């Protein structure tokens, strides 16, 4: 029940996409990225189709309501 309450108690303030060098493994949705003092939750990952292509991390900045 706590997870449900937390989902209702937070709203997305902004969506930010980060383009990073490719990483073989280890980055997953649900992890967090810190940028300019704000924490962004990774909600989706897009991997390039060719070797050396950048990864795009779609992140959400949430705030309590």
């Amino acid at each position: 029940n706590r997870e449900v309450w937390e989902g209702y108690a937070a709203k997305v303030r902004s969506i930010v996409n980060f383009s990073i060098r490719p990483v073989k493994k280890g980055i997953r949705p649900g992890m967090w990225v810190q940028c300019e003092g704000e924490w962004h939750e990774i909600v989706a990952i897009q991997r390039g189709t060719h070797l050396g292509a950048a990864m795009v991390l779609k992140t959400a900045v949430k705030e309590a309501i």
Side-chain angles (χ1 to χ4, degrees):
N1 288 338
R2 188 181 102 172
E3 292 84 11
V4 173
W5 182 84
E6 286 175 354
Y8 287 120
K11 70 175 188 174
V12 174
R13 187 177 62 188
S14 64
I15 301 291
V16 179
N17 291 329
F18 291 95
S19 182
I20 64 169
R21 285 182 276 157
V23 177
K24 285 199 175 239
K25 57 184 173 183
I27 297 178
R28 302 180 298 282
M31 292 182 149
W32 294 80
V33 176
Q34 185 178 19
C35 180
E36 296 180 1
E38 287 189 317
W39 285 96
H40 303 254
E41 181 180 2
I42 299 171
V43 294
I45 299 172
Q46 179 182 1
R47 291 180 170 84
T49 56
H50 62 280
L51 186 63
M55 291 175 64
V56 177
L57 306 177
K58 182 174 186 173
T59 65
V61 177
K62 297 180 179 181
E63 61 184 27
I65 55 172

